[in-house]
Amino acid sequence: MALSFTTPVVWPEGMPWLEQRLPMLLMGSCFASEMGERLLRAKFDCDLNPFGVLYNPLSIAQALCEILDGRRYTADDLFCHEGLWHSWMHHGDFSAPSAEEVVTHINTRIDLAHQRLPQLRRVVLTLGSAYVYRLADGGRVVGNCHKMPERSFRRERLSVGEVTEALSAAIERLLRLHPEVKL
């Protein structure tokens, strides 16, 4: 019996191919970041996690919609904790000692992703968890807890319907504006 040190992969019929020449957006969990880094090293044309790593589907859907809208953040969208300014929608890589620095970084990334939309041909979304964290004060779903105390949040598990509804709405908006994109 011969040993095999590879795993054969059968590409599902109808699944779109990833090609170096086709601009793509990867968003979501650390898997998107890891695979995106590999694709970038292989000279693929990728925009990788414009909001940083996001795990829950509601935040991923919201981030996609904010890119579609070309949303602009202001200092009013941020909060300060332990000397750093943060956005509830962004990974800690965006946090900084000044609100202006955070807003500039966030808006630059959203602008870049928004400007690339007409050229996009592939979007890869990777979901990390069906659990979301809602702010105890107001119930807003956050993309990142930024090491705030646990009592600041309510943890809840999303239903399949909630995940499907949020992602479907965001994907439908994307495809209405850019029907040539494959997911």
Side-chain angles (χ1 to χ4, degrees):
M1 179 164 118
L3 293 176
S4 176
F5 293 102
T6 62
T7 302
V9 176
V10 178
W11 199 257
E13 190 174 323
M15 178 72 74
W17 288 93
L18 300 181
E19 298 177 37
Q20 286 175 313
R21 65 178 179 78
L22 297 176
M24 71 177 83
L25 169 67
L26 290 94
M27 290 181 65
S29 69
C30 55
F31 183 77
S33 290
E34 290 295 321
M35 293 310 298
E37 290 295 335
R38 289 173 187 234
L39 290 167
L40 286 169
R41 284 194 302 273
K43 307 297 185 207
F44 279 73
D45 183 4
C46 300
D47 188 0
L48 181 54
N49 268 340
F51 283 65
V53 173
L54 296 172
Y55 289 99
N56 78 71
L58 296 187
S59 293
I60 294 167
Q62 181 179 339
L64 183 56
C65 289
E66 289 185 9
I67 290 168
L68 292 169
D69 295 338
R71 173 157 186 226
R72 302 295 294 171
Y73 276 71
T74 68
D76 292 338
D77 297 309
L78 309 178
F79 69 96
C80 190
H81 176 66
E82 294 184 353
L84 291 176
W85 288 88
H86 310 276
S87 160
W88 290 119
M89 272 300 295
H90 292 80
H91 187 270
D93 291 345
F94 286 83
S95 300
S98 79
E100 295 77 22
E101 186 178 346
V102 175
V103 167
T104 298
H105 189 188
I106 287 171
N107 288 335
T108 298
R109 283 302 285 124
I110 291 174
D111 287 347
L112 175 65
H114 182 76
Q115 290 166 8
R116 285 179 51 101
L117 284 171
Q119 291 82 39
L120 275 185
R121 294 300 174 262
R122 302 290 184 261
V123 172
V124 177
L125 303 176
T126 64
L127 312 178
S129 174
Y131 284 95
V132 295
Y133 288 86
R134 292 186 184 275
L135 288 172
D137 181 25
R140 175 183 172 187
V141 172
V142 302
N144 194 301
C145 295
H146 296 290
K147 300 182 182 175
M148 293 287 287
E150 185 179 347
R151 68 181 178 279
S152 302
F153 306 97
R154 289 187 335 266
R155 182 177 186 243
E156 82 181 44
R157 184 173 180 212
L158 299 172
S159 70
V160 172
E162 289 170 311
V163 171
T164 303
E165 182 180 330
L167 287 174
S168 294
I171 290 167
E172 285 172 14
R173 281 193 61 204
L174 171 67
L175 294 176
R176 255 194 323 275
L177 293 168
H178 304 285
E180 63 284 347
V181 169
K182 304 290 184 212
L183 284 109

